[in-house]
Amino acid sequence: MAGWSAAQIPGQSGRVAVVTGANSGLGYVIARELARKGAHVVLGCRSEVRGREAERRLGEEVPGAETELLRLDLADLGSVREFAAAYRHERLDLLVNNAGVMALPYGTTADGFETQFGVNHLGHFALTGLLLPALLATPDARVVTVSSMTHLFANIDLRDLNSERRYRRWVAYARSKSANLLFVHELTRRLEASCAEVTAAAAHPGYAATNLQAAGPRASGSRVGERVMELGNRVLAQSAEGGALPVLYAATAPGVRPDSFTGPSFAAWRGTGTPAPSPRAPWTLDDRAGELLWAASERLTGVAYASP
């Protein structure tokens, strides 16, 4: 039986979407398919050069696409604030928190946070908060945050959010992905408490072939590790187009539930069928942990959310 595809994305004409990490991989596919359906897509990219190239390529694939490029470095809260200040639209129908880093050697962001926690969670926490007024001003707006099934391997440590006591790259990555889901859970609680017309949901791509996998080994100088990841992408992974489908589904399909977690249909790994609910660790649904992470995130980023 045929499954859900990008062709089934409802018309997006008149809608404005922001996609982070839109110059490559999942982010590029998500931006392209939203533009294909008529959305005005704001490409949030760390590199202006790569962003311009992605915008050019997208225009060739989707003639007449409405796009604009804004520089966004999620590892620098100053850049996040500049992006939000440069955002010129009164409405925001869709924010896709897609960009991320995976299994890097220990490092810190411009603001001193462990890189994976800083980029994957804190950068997107700050961005969402700064863009929240535009989301609240838009009926039926959505925020979709990209997590990972690796979140099942590690809960956040509220006593050591920046992995200062001990750093293990895959544990730090899993914790950042748990933080993504806990953020969506707490944001949903706050939105529902204020009766806001904004849906917060999460999605993941399963195992999709992008440049994310090889970045960690490359940063470590491990050519062997880089080749292993590249081989895995060729043999085991689905395409970036396949990996983007659950995110596009969560972003556009009718009836997506708040605080849902959508992934590929086959073993939450890959699949061409309709994206489906994915397993989720119980700690990502913990109200008290969500409150504490939220408070810590506001303190660390200096971004206090408007109502809700």
Side-chain angles (χ1 to χ4, degrees):
M1 183 173 61
W4 192 87
S5 71
Q8 293 168 260
I9 296 172
Q12 300 293 302
S13 180
R15 293 168 62 83
V16 181
V18 169
V19 181
T20 70
N23 59 281
S24 65
L26 302 179
Y28 177 79
V29 175
I30 293 163
R32 183 190 68 199
E33 297 309 317
L34 291 171
R36 195 188 304 279
K37 289 293 185 173
H40 179 94
V41 184
V42 181
L43 313 175
C45 303
R46 182 169 59 88
S47 166
E48 187 170 353
V49 172
R50 290 194 292 271
R52 291 293 176 203
E53 171 58 24
E55 191 174 31
R56 181 198 63 76
R57 182 160 46 102
L58 195 155
E60 290 180 352
E61 294 187 54
V62 185
E66 293 186 19
T67 62
E68 65 178 292
L69 173 66
L70 290 180
R71 185 177 179 276
L72 174 63
D73 184 354
L74 290 160
D76 182 348
L77 291 176
S79 175
V80 176
R81 291 182 181 276
E82 289 172 2
F83 178 96
Y87 182 79
R88 61 183 175 84
H89 306 277
E90 293 184 359
R91 66 183 297 132
L92 177 54
D93 297 86
L94 174 63
L95 170 60
V96 182
N97 291 323
N98 160 77
V101 293
M102 183 174 76
L104 298 178
Y106 182 80
T108 57
T109 68
D111 305 282
F113 309 124
E114 186 276 310
T115 303
Q116 299 190 80
F117 179 68
V119 171
N120 297 350
H121 170 63
L122 290 177
H124 282 126
F125 177 91
L127 179 66
T128 305
L130 293 168
L131 294 179
L132 188 60
L135 289 160
L136 292 172
T138 308
D140 300 320
R142 288 190 195 180
V143 179
V144 177
T145 299
V146 179
S147 184
S148 166
M149 286 303 292
T150 60
H151 85 276
L152 292 166
F153 298 120
N155 190 5
I156 63 168
D157 184 349
L158 287 163
R159 301 166 301 175
D160 189 26
L161 290 172
N162 282 299
S163 301
E164 294 170 321
R165 297 178 182 177
R166 182 184 181 189
Y167 183 75
R168 291 169 291 173
R169 65 182 68 190
W170 281 106
V171 171
Y173 177 67
R175 285 175 172 170
S176 74
K177 296 289 101 177
S178 281
N180 288 153
L181 285 167
L182 200 52
F183 162 65
V184 170
H185 178 68
E186 181 62 17
L187 178 58
T188 295
R189 292 207 314 139
R190 290 168 179 258
L191 291 167
E192 290 182 341
S194 66
C195 300
E197 293 186 52
V198 180
T199 297
H204 74 93
Y207 187 1
T210 70
N211 58 13
L212 186 67
Q213 287 86 353
R218 188 179 303 121
S220 301
S222 173
R223 184 56 184 157
V224 172
E226 188 176 350
R227 287 180 176 176
V228 168
M229 288 298 187
E230 290 171 350
L231 179 62
N233 277 356
R234 288 198 300 269
V235 176
L236 300 174
Q238 62 181 335
S239 66
E241 280 75 10
L245 281 182
V247 185
L248 287 165
Y249 183 91
T252 66
V256 170
R257 295 179 61 83
D259 203 20
S260 56
F261 185 36
T262 303
S265 58
F266 178 71
W269 172 26
R270 60 185 300 163
T272 57
T274 300
S278 282
R280 183 167 173 175
W283 56 74
T284 68
L285 297 166
D286 185 319
D287 292 352
R288 180 57 177 160
E291 291 174 357
L292 292 172
L293 177 63
W294 190 280
S297 300
E298 286 193 331
R299 174 175 55 81
L300 291 169
T301 63
V303 174
Y305 276 49
S307 178

